[in-house]
Each structure stands twice: as structure tokens, then as C-alpha cells.
Amino acid sequence: MYRLLPLKLLLARFRSYKHLNDTQPKMKCDILTIFPEIFHAYLSEGMLKRALQKGIIDVEVHNLRDYTKDKHRTVDDYPYGGGSGMVMKPEPFFTAVETLNPDATERRVILLSPAGRKFDQDMAKELSEEKRQLIFLCGRYEAIDERVRTAMADDEISIGDYVLTGGELPALVIIDAVARLIPGVLGDEHSSEVESFTWGILDYPHYTRPPVFRGLTVPEVLLSGNHKDILRWRRKEALRRTLQRRPDLLGKCRLGEEDYRLISEIKEESQ
């Protein structure tokens, strides 16, 4: 039976694996949140768990309340000027960040916010090449005191035009997307190179056994063993899917002469 380990014990085990492997992490992340247990399940499964165990990445989750100074461990207060909801106080964020890394030149503080730059694959690539420590600030309640944004955050990132309860899920989304671009995290080093958006377009359809299921068959070309034809089919189907579902992406990516020929074929087939 699987036994759920306390978060601190789980992360301590991951750090011990890292020291055994004597590997310098290629990505160092710290997360500030008032709900650290939210990260427990996701970090203890699959790709991220293996990357943590190997010491390829290092993710530490910190309870923001540990950086308060009053006996009630207060992280929020009423908004100046009135209004609904509570606002997260600036002091715990500043204290936590400066405790984790007092050198501002060695850290990149990311505020998860609907007002931030929209996260995409290009930004994931950018963050995967970041040498500085990444510190994610996860807000809750109505808002975070504006002084955190103006005087502490180096970047604001949004994962989409919708409202979430807090910044924890966006932090996990970003860490997952960035980590898979770091060499050694994925089992197949070429996997991330052919996924959706890495090409700049959507991914092609995927099939596995059985070759026929409830009358639905796998395309014959995928069973042919002709790798040149398979590559051409995959590229064409990726372009077809992008043309049908996200045509806006075609204007943003680099297309070659063969791509334009495939697009012409797709358009002719749809007439």
C-alpha cells in the first residue's frame, strides 16, 4: 500500500538522493505558499519525482506563515480604502525571499498573477535556460499587496485568461513545462523536441496497439516501416490539426517549402 509521506520528509528524501548522486541541479526552484501540501502529490509522482531523485532539479516548498512574526502567523489583512476580500501582507514575502537568497542578482522572483505575461512554450524554454534560482510567489485571497509586485517580483506570469483560487496550480504548470525541457528529465531526450508547440505547431495524432479497435484502424503508413513516409505523414497531420484548430500558430512559426506544399495538399483534400 502507498503511504503518503509528510512533505518535509519527502523533500528531504529527494535531497538525500541528490547528494548520493553528487549532481548539481540544473534548475533550482523555491515556492512560497500558505498551502504547501498542495504540491505534495504532484512532486511525488512521475517525471518530476524521478528528476528530483536524480538531482536534476531541486524544488523546495516553503510555508509563507513560517516567515511571519506575530503569534497568529498572519499573512493577510483588510484592504486600505475598503472593499471585499483580504489582501496578502508584504512582510512575509519580503522576509521569505530575502532569507532564501539575499543576493538579488542570483534569484529570479516570479509572481503568479492574471496580470502577468501569458505563459507559453517560448517562455518555458527561456526559463529552462535560466541560471538563477527561481522563486515562485503564490497568492491567495483577493490580492497580494502591490509593493510585492513593484519592489520584489522580477517577473509576473499568467497561465491564461481565467480566474483561479491561488497561484499554486500555475506554479506547478510552469515547473512541469520547464522541467521537461531540461536534459535528463525525460526518458527520451528527443520527446520534448517533437511535442506540441516545440515545433511551433500542434502535435500529430498518436496510435498504439491494437491495430484495429472497434472498427477503428491505425493509418496504414504507420505500419509500413517506411520512416521517411512516416515523418512526412506526421508533419502533414500536425499541420492539418494546427490549421483546423489553431491557425493563428501558423503565422508565428517558421515553415519550410515542404510545409507549404503539405498545407496546399491539406486544403485541396478539404475541398
Side-chain angles (χ1 to χ4, degrees):
M1 178 180 292
Y2 177 75
R3 183 167 61 90
L4 193 64
L5 295 173
L7 181 63
K8 289 184 178 179
L9 177 58
L10 178 72
L11 293 176
R13 285 192 178 184
F14 286 155
R15 286 193 289 276
S16 70
Y17 281 123
K18 179 182 69 176
H19 295 316
L20 287 173
N21 292 331
D22 195 27
T23 302
Q24 186 68 26
K26 297 182 176 71
M27 180 175 79
K28 172 74 170 76
C29 298
D30 288 89
I31 303 166
L32 293 173
T33 172
I34 60 172
F35 296 114
E37 293 297 327
I38 285 177
F39 295 88
H40 186 287
Y42 205 80
L43 293 175
S44 62
E45 299 291 345
M47 172 196 75
L48 288 178
K49 175 184 177 181
R50 292 190 296 272
L52 285 164
Q53 289 177 337
K54 293 176 181 178
I56 300 171
I57 66 172
D58 184 15
V59 180
E60 296 194 42
V61 185
H62 308 271
N63 191 334
L64 191 65
R65 295 188 188 278
D66 292 340
Y67 298 92
T68 58
K69 297 180 180 179
D70 66 307
K71 65 178 182 179
H72 300 294
R73 306 177 80 203
T74 306
V75 295
D76 63 312
D77 210 332
Y78 293 102
Y80 280 124
S84 61
M86 303 292 280
V87 176
M88 297 193 78
K89 295 164 63 65
E91 302 101 307
F93 284 106
F94 277 77
T95 301
V97 170
E98 290 166 352
T99 300
L100 292 173
N101 193 336
D103 187 351
T105 65
E106 293 296 321
R107 69 189 187 217
R108 181 170 177 176
V109 180
I110 297 173
L111 175 63
L112 288 316
S113 163
R117 294 191 294 152
K118 189 176 290 187
F119 185 69
D120 58 16
Q121 191 67 20
D122 287 339
M123 197 184 302
K125 177 68 173 172
E126 172 196 331
L127 291 174
S128 74
E129 297 170 350
E130 178 63 74
K131 303 302 181 184
R132 293 172 293 175
Q133 173 187 10
L134 300 177
I135 302 179
F136 294 90
L137 310 183
C138 302
R140 282 271 162 166
Y141 308 123
E142 185 67 21
I144 296 178
D145 188 290
E146 180 69 5
R147 289 165 290 190
V148 175
R149 184 187 69 81
T150 57
M152 176 55 70
D154 299 305
D155 210 342
E156 276 185 276
I157 298 179
S158 166
I159 63 167
D161 296 332
Y162 45 85
V163 179
L164 294 172
T165 308
E168 289 78 14
L169 288 176
L172 280 171
V173 167
I174 293 169
I175 290 170
D176 186 294
V178 173
R180 63 189 298 108
L181 297 178
I182 295 175
V185 171
L186 294 179
D188 182 351
E189 291 303 317
H190 300 290
S191 292
S192 64
E193 297 176 6
V194 294
E195 292 176 324
S196 294
F197 299 110
T198 302
W199 279 354
I201 60 177
L202 300 183
D203 199 7
Y204 53 80
H206 294 261
Y207 295 87
T208 187
R209 296 181 178 88
V212 181
F213 176 71
R214 294 188 178 183
L216 302 172
T217 60
V218 174
E220 193 66 32
V221 64
L222 298 179
L223 306 176
S224 69
N226 188 318
H227 295 295
K228 183 178 178 180
D229 288 349
I230 290 172
L231 287 174
R232 188 178 190 278
W233 179 90
R234 285 176 170 172
R235 184 68 178 182
K236 183 176 180 178
E237 293 308 309
L239 288 167
R240 188 193 308 276
R241 181 172 285 181
T242 305
L243 193 62
Q244 293 172 343
R245 303 180 187 181
R246 290 291 306 277
D248 58 296
L249 294 176
L250 294 175
K252 302 175 183 178
C253 64
R254 293 181 179 178
L255 299 176
E257 292 182 7
E258 176 65 11
D259 292 321
Y260 287 110
R261 281 194 290 269
L262 292 173
I263 290 172
S264 295
E265 288 181 18
I266 293 167
K267 290 180 177 180
E268 289 176 5
E269 292 167 3
S270 63
Q271 292 178 354

